[in-house]
Each structure stands twice: as structure tokens, then as C-alpha cells.
Amino acid sequence: MPAATMKKSSKTDGARKKRSATASRSTAEEMASRQREISVSEFFAKNRHLLGFDNPRKALLTTVKEAVDNALDACEEAGILPDIRVELLQLEETRFKVTIADNGPGIVRRQIENIFGKLLYGSKFHRMKMSRGQQGIGISAAGMYGLMTTGQPVLIVSKTGRKKPAHRVVLKMDTARNRAEVIEDAEIGDDVAGFTEGHGTRVTIDLEGRYQKGRASVDEYLEQTAIANPHASFVYVTPTNEVIEFPRAVDELPPESREIKPHPKGIELGTLIQMLERTERTQLGAFFKEDFCRVGPKVAKEICRKAELTDRTWVKQVGHADAERLFKAIDGVKIMAPPTDCLVPIGTKAMLAGLLKEVKAEFFAASTRPAAVYRGNPFLIEVGIAYGGQLPADDLGRVIRFANRVPLLYQQSACCAFKAMVETGWKNYGLQQARGALPTGPIVVMIHMASTWVPFTSESKEAIADYDEIRKEMKLALKECGRKLGTYLRRRQRMRRETERRNVFARYIGEIAMACERMTGRPASKTHEALAEIASVKTAEADQQLDDEGNVVDDGGRLANDDDVIILDPADDGRASAGSDEDGLLFSQGSRSTTETRKKRKKKVSGRRSVKRS
């Protein structure tokens, strides 16, 4: 190295050492004095994208979604048929006033601050039963977002009974302490409250947002919510003062879900150890029977025996090695599947009704899987598909995702439902599909997961986490519906071929009859009738007949007696359906036309949305 370079390098090193020596260094005591607890609301205020408030359009949807989910849960838990009103009032170009009112049981006065002004506060986190809300974040986070973007507090009006006063509370969240500050608190009269049934809740939030129709919009969310919740009635007032109504389709509430204990299959070793440490039971047998579901005395004894313990072993004496043996023994014992009364599935009938109401297709099928378990949480998968009709034939198929009856509109590619859809081999069922993509064709697939705890990928609850157990059940349900679709498409292809054969016969029957008359002297009309009858017998499958439920009338067909399949005339546009469709398929008149069938089903499946202009 040259002398000049060495001299320069030594000067640089000396200067660096001098600066580092003179620089002030923090001691352990000084660093400890700067450490403090972080409030959960303060954390989410800086990371609001985790809650779904990362852009104005999505923030508007998330606010409506959280409020509507809370309203539906409250009404169902109180045994009330939900009547929900959603109003979006545009104050400025990017400022909106969102108001959601329901006819639920209301909120007692002392709980209003906790529910709307504190994050991670609720009644559903520790209960193992199906519900829309889980974490106690949603509606309070919406109020926090509105306060941050507009500076305006949240307005809550609640009434719990006809003879009880209505409370009007205005509050804002103190993010540093994760608590609410009440600005105004007053009792108001019934004429001001506006609750015709004597009870309910109304929430008003001012926020910065952007309204846009189309996919992943407030309009689509409410439309899909109406499909999955036919027992609810919605009135939606858009920012353009357009009133859209989603009437109630059924007048019965879904069955009430029951709270259950964890299921031993699928729990993790750490969870088992924590349960052993926290249990109030003194012996292992009682621990398994009382703290788990589907575990009786016989199963408890078998688990303990395989772990080289007894059902009378004291819980306090169970060490880490014993817990590991118990954990392995659980996997080796046959245990009944978890009870399904903790889940409230939509049901194949309601899924078919919802798809039939909103999707203009010709073939509908649905499937519900038995309950399964992941990490000790029972879950159930439902799938419905719609094919053909007026759906676009050249586009990729559409996937509609639900979790506990709530539509999932964002992060589709990260969702387990989307991955299960892509991994299903739709080519086996007559559809085109590129590698790693959705099938191409006129198809809409509805996937619903009902669970006591849905594993979302984030706090914004936009996609289901990719667990192997969940994806397996989704693929099995998709394949079951796919087999029904494949049967229908193969049958339609056979009908097309038979129709072509009949057309060939019909083209030459006249010439053959005339030639036979010239050769034999037999009248051509009789020969023509005989040959036409033979052609009809040989191509009988070309005649399609539908019953009054839209099902195929065919004793030999697989779909004839399937209650989870509906087939409509694809050529039905309000006229008589007898004749042939664009594929040349013939449909016989039967005792009832398909047009009458569709009218009857529309009466049975009421609730088509109506639009009013104000």
C-alpha cells in the first residue's frame, strides 16, 4: 500500500475512534426508563391496514361490514328476525356519514363505552360457538378510524325495551389508554329514537371513504349477505339516494348454535399442557370427560391406558413427559366427530335458493360436508355451484367466499377457498382449466365455512388461513358438486348427439318413404309414421322433461332424485320453454312448462331485491 494511502487510512480510523469515544452511550437504566407498555388501540391506530382500513374504499366497506355483522349477531342471539337499515350519506367528495340501524335487543347503557370505545372487548372470544364477530375489534376500530380521519366522534342511540328510555351517547376513543371518552350522554324520547318495535341500536360514524359500485363494494357485500342470510331484511340507501331493498326470504330464524367444549382431536401439545394447568378437575378421567366434548368414560380410560396412566391419576402429578404421551394417545384413539349443534350452516336448500335468486344459470348443485376438526375447533364446509345460462362462457369462473355467513371480498388469492378451487381438477368434470388457475366457463362457485373459530389470515377477516384439514374438506365438497356437474354435462352432450341423429333421420325419412312407395306400393304416409316412431325410440334421450321442482324426470338418471340439484331450461327467457335451446336440446312440454316451474320457484324463494328511487 502506498505511504500516502496508509497515512490517509490511519487518519480516518483515528477520527472514527475519536467520534465513537466522544459519542454518548445509553446505559441499561436509561434504556429501561424509555420502555413502556403499548396500548392495543395505539398499535392498531398506527397499523390500521391490519384491520381493513388501508384505503378509503375498503374502509367504507369495512365499517358497514362490522356494523351489519354485529347487528345480525345481536338479533339472532335475542331471537329477533333482523331488520337492518344501512344509509350512506356523502357529505363531501371523500367524506361520508355511515348510519346502521337494527331492531335488535339494544345495548345496556353501562356497556356502550366498552363496546364502541375499547379494542379487544367482547363476549365471543372465549366461547366455542359459531358467530360472526370473534375478536371484539371491528366496530370500535371503525369508530377509531372515523375519529382519526375526520375528528368526529361516534354517535350511538340504544333502546332496550318499550318501557325503558332510549340513550343517546356521543363518544370518542382515547388510543393511549384504550378507553372511551363520553362527550354527550342524554335520555331521549321514543319519537326521537325512531325504534318502532321498542328496541334497537343505531350507530353513526363520520369517516373518510370512497364509494364505488362493482366488485368488492358495499353493494356487493349487502347482496351476498342477503344470499347467506335469507331470514334478514335489508334496506340500503346509497350515496346517490337510491333505495335498494332486500326483503326477507324466510320467516324463521336459523337454529341457535350451542356452546361446546374443545374436541381432543386436533389440539396441540402446548394447548393440552395449558388445559392441564388451568383445569379445576383433580383426576385425569374427570379432566377428559368434563373439559372436552365427545369423550366418555370409556374413551377417557383408553387414552389414559395408552399413555401408561389411569383415569384416577392426579392431574397435578402429570408432568411434561406424561402430557406428551397423552397427546400421542389421543391420536391413536377413535373419538366421535364433534357435535354440529355448535354450527349453523346455511343448508343446501337455502344455498340453492340464494343462487337461484341471484344467478341466472341453468344448473345448480349444492353439497354439505360432515363436521371436521382443526386445532380442536369443529368446522363444516358447504359448496354450491351454478353453471350455464346467461353466465359468461369465456371468462374465468367466479368464486364467492363466505365465513360464518359473512362475505369475504378481499385477498381472494390468499384464501384457502381459492386455493382449494384451483387445486380441484375441473377438467374431469367437463370444464377447461389452465395450470394454477380457475376453470374457464360459465360457472359460479359459492364456498362457505362455518366454524366456532374461523382462522382468518389477519384481523381484517378477509381470507381463511390455509390449513390442510380445511383445504381437504373444501376440495371434497367441490369434487362432490363437480361430479354432479359432470353428470349433467355428459348427459347434455349425449342429448346433443341424439338430437343430431334424429335430425339426420328426419332429413331422409321423407325420401325413404317415397322410394318405398314406388318399390312396394305401400302408402308413403304409413312408412313415414313408422320410421318417425323408430327414430323417436332410438333417440329418446333427446327428449328432456322437467318436473314441478325443476328436477330431471328420468328414473335411470343419477340426478333424477337428487334434492341438491336444480336444472332449468337454459332457453327460458319468459316464453314457453318447449322446443330446442341453442345446443339443439329438445325439451318436451310435459304436464307443466319450465316457465311455470320458474314462476313457482320464484314464489317459493321470495326476497328478490327491489329498487326504489327517492
Side-chain angles (χ1 to χ4, degrees):
M1 182 182 294
T5 305
M6 292 179 62
K7 186 176 181 181
K8 185 177 180 180
S9 176
S10 62
K11 288 182 178 180
T12 304
D13 293 342
R16 187 181 297 113
K17 289 179 180 179
K18 185 177 181 180
R19 285 197 302 269
S20 62
T22 57
S24 60
R25 298 193 179 191
S26 298
T27 63
E29 290 75 11
E30 290 174 348
M31 288 188 288
S33 65
R34 290 194 294 266
Q35 295 173 355
R36 64 183 182 88
E37 183 181 358
I38 301 173
S39 168
V40 62
S41 55
E42 196 174 13
F43 171 81
F44 282 117
K46 290 185 178 181
N47 299 276
R48 62 191 185 191
H49 59 280
L50 298 176
L51 302 177
F53 297 95
D54 44 346
N55 63 72
R57 185 188 182 201
K58 192 175 176 183
L60 184 64
L61 169 65
T62 302
T63 300
V64 173
K65 172 177 172 291
E66 296 295 347
V68 170
D69 289 352
N70 288 354
L72 288 170
D73 271 340
C75 291
E76 291 175 5
E77 194 166 346
I80 301 171
L81 286 171
D83 290 324
I84 300 174
R85 182 179 180 88
V86 179
E87 296 182 11
L88 301 183
L89 177 61
Q90 188 166 4
L91 305 176
E92 298 176 6
E93 184 178 356
T94 60
R95 179 172 292 192
F96 293 83
K97 184 185 288 294
V98 179
T99 302
I100 295 92
D102 63 67
N103 63 331
I107 304 172
V108 295
R109 173 61 192 86
R110 65 178 180 274
Q111 288 289 358
I112 291 179
E113 292 98 313
N114 293 329
I115 292 174
F116 293 94
K118 180 181 291 188
L119 294 182
L120 294 180
Y121 183 89
S123 61
K124 303 167 186 174
F125 185 85
H126 299 95
R127 293 190 301 175
M128 287 197 68
K129 62 180 295 187
M130 176 179 165
S131 63
R132 295 173 182 83
Q134 293 183 169
Q135 302 161 344
I137 292 179
I139 192 62
S140 52
M144 180 182 67
Y145 172 80
L147 179 66
M148 293 172 57
T149 55
T150 66
Q152 296 296 321
V154 182
L155 170 63
I156 305 104
V157 180
S158 176
K159 184 175 175 62
T160 58
R162 289 189 178 277
K163 298 182 179 180
K164 297 180 180 179
H167 292 274
R168 184 181 188 273
V169 180
V170 180
L171 58 84
K172 64 179 182 179
M173 179 185 292
D174 181 0
T175 56
R177 295 183 293 175
N178 190 29
R179 56 177 296 181
E181 293 183 1
V182 177
I183 300 174
E184 180 182 341
D185 184 3
E187 292 185 2
I188 58 177
D190 292 345
D191 53 340
V192 180
F195 298 116
T196 57
E197 297 184 20
H199 48 79
T201 305
R202 184 169 66 249
V203 184
T204 302
I205 301 175
D206 287 13
L207 53 84
E208 181 181 332
R210 182 165 63 91
Y211 174 74
Q212 182 178 343
K213 292 188 176 182
R215 293 289 177 90
S217 64
V218 176
D219 302 54
E220 185 186 18
Y221 163 75
L222 290 174
E223 181 178 346
Q224 293 188 15
T225 302
I227 292 175
N229 301 272
H231 61 284
S233 171
F234 298 91
V235 177
Y236 171 41
V237 183
T238 69
T240 58
N241 208 25
E242 178 185 6
V243 180
I244 302 176
E245 296 182 358
F246 299 91
R248 185 176 290 110
V250 295
D251 294 328
E252 294 182 2
L253 283 166
E256 183 180 358
S257 59
R258 293 181 55 190
E259 185 175 356
I260 65 167
K261 297 294 179 68
H263 193 273
K265 290 287 187 180
I267 65 168
E268 297 170 331
L269 176 59
T271 304
L272 178 62
I273 293 174
Q274 290 180 358
M275 293 180 67
L276 286 167
E277 293 172 350
R278 298 172 183 174
T279 185
E280 297 179 357
R281 320 301 169 190
T282 58
Q283 296 179 335
L284 276 182
F287 165 71
F288 279 107
K289 287 185 291 184
E290 300 296 333
D291 290 7
F292 291 97
C293 67
R294 297 300 198 190
V295 177
K298 184 178 179 181
V299 175
K301 286 183 179 180
E302 188 175 357
I303 293 174
C304 296
R305 181 183 60 79
K306 288 198 171 188
E308 299 177 0
L309 300 170
T310 68
D311 58 341
R312 295 180 178 273
T313 301
W314 298 102
V315 174
K316 292 182 179 180
Q317 296 177 353
V318 177
H320 189 278
D322 299 328
E324 285 196 10
R325 292 200 303 272
L326 286 171
F327 178 73
K328 294 178 181 179
I330 290 174
D331 290 336
V333 176
K334 290 185 178 180
I335 304 176
M336 189 183 301
T340 58
D341 53 2
C342 62
L343 307 174
V344 185
I346 299 174
T348 55
K349 295 290 185 182
M351 291 180 70
L352 291 172
L355 289 171
L356 187 68
K357 182 176 65 171
E358 299 294 339
V359 182
K360 297 180 180 179
E362 65 187 68
F363 176 85
F364 301 86
S367 173
T368 299
R369 292 287 303 164
V373 180
Y374 83 95
R375 288 178 53 193
N377 299 299
F379 72 97
L380 183 146
I381 300 298
E382 299 177 291
V383 169
I385 65 173
Y387 178 86
Q390 300 182 21
L391 297 176
D394 299 330
D395 296 343
L396 292 176
R398 182 185 176 192
V399 183
I400 305 176
R401 300 169 293 131
F402 291 87
N404 286 355
R405 296 175 177 258
V406 178
L408 308 178
L409 303 182
Y410 282 92
Q411 297 185 14
Q412 175 176 270
S413 59
C415 186
C416 182
F418 178 83
K419 295 177 181 178
M421 181 75 180
V422 169
E423 291 182 2
T424 302
W426 292 99
K427 289 184 179 180
N428 300 329
Y429 312 121
L431 298 179
Q432 297 180 358
Q433 184 182 17
R435 183 186 297 271
L438 293 172
T440 302
I443 184 171
V444 173
V445 179
M446 175 180 174
I447 303 177
H448 175 234
M449 177 181 179
S451 177
T452 56
W453 183 263
V454 179
F456 293 110
T457 57
S458 66
E459 291 80 359
S460 57
K461 297 183 291 187
E462 295 166 347
I464 301 172
D466 187 18
Y467 281 87
D468 292 338
E469 301 91 336
I470 298 175
R471 192 195 296 194
K472 175 185 175 182
E473 289 296 319
M474 287 182 175
K475 289 172 67 175
L476 289 173
L478 288 168
K479 289 178 180 179
E480 185 174 344
C481 287
R483 287 192 291 270
K484 297 176 182 179
L485 175 62
T487 300
Y488 169 73
L489 293 179
R490 287 190 296 270
R491 179 178 177 80
R492 195 173 72 164
Q493 189 175 9
R494 289 197 303 269
M495 291 170 58
R496 185 185 297 112
R497 290 197 298 264
E498 295 300 306
T499 302
E500 292 172 355
R501 289 180 61 197
R502 180 178 295 183
N503 291 337
V504 172
F505 287 139
R507 188 178 300 126
Y508 297 104
I509 282 177
E511 296 293 335
I512 295 174
M514 295 295 295
C516 291
E517 184 181 19
R518 290 193 296 268
M519 294 172 59
T520 64
R522 182 178 177 177
S525 59
K526 294 184 178 180
T527 305
H528 189 282
E529 291 176 1
L531 290 175
E533 184 178 353
I534 294 173
S536 298
V537 172
K538 293 296 183 181
T539 59
E541 196 166 2
D543 291 323
Q544 177 77 40
Q545 185 178 353
L546 305 176
D547 64 6
D548 60 352
E549 290 293 331
N551 294 323
V552 184
V553 179
D554 180 12
D555 293 337
R558 297 186 194 176
L559 307 179
N561 299 317
D562 196 332
D563 293 334
D564 297 334
V565 173
I566 296 176
I567 302 175
L568 301 178
D569 181 0
D572 179 21
D573 57 357
R575 298 169 297 189
S577 61
S580 62
D581 65 356
E582 63 274 12
D583 293 325
L585 307 183
L586 297 179
F587 293 83
S588 64
Q589 294 275 2
S591 61
R592 218 183 277 259
S593 71
T594 309
T595 304
E596 294 173 353
T597 300
R598 187 182 287 271
K599 288 180 179 177
K600 178 178 178 182
R601 185 159 292 279
K602 284 182 180 178
K603 290 180 181 178
K604 292 176 65 178
V605 185
S606 61
R608 283 187 176 273
R609 69 177 186 178
S610 59
V611 179
K612 298 180 181 178
R613 295 283 182 177
S614 300

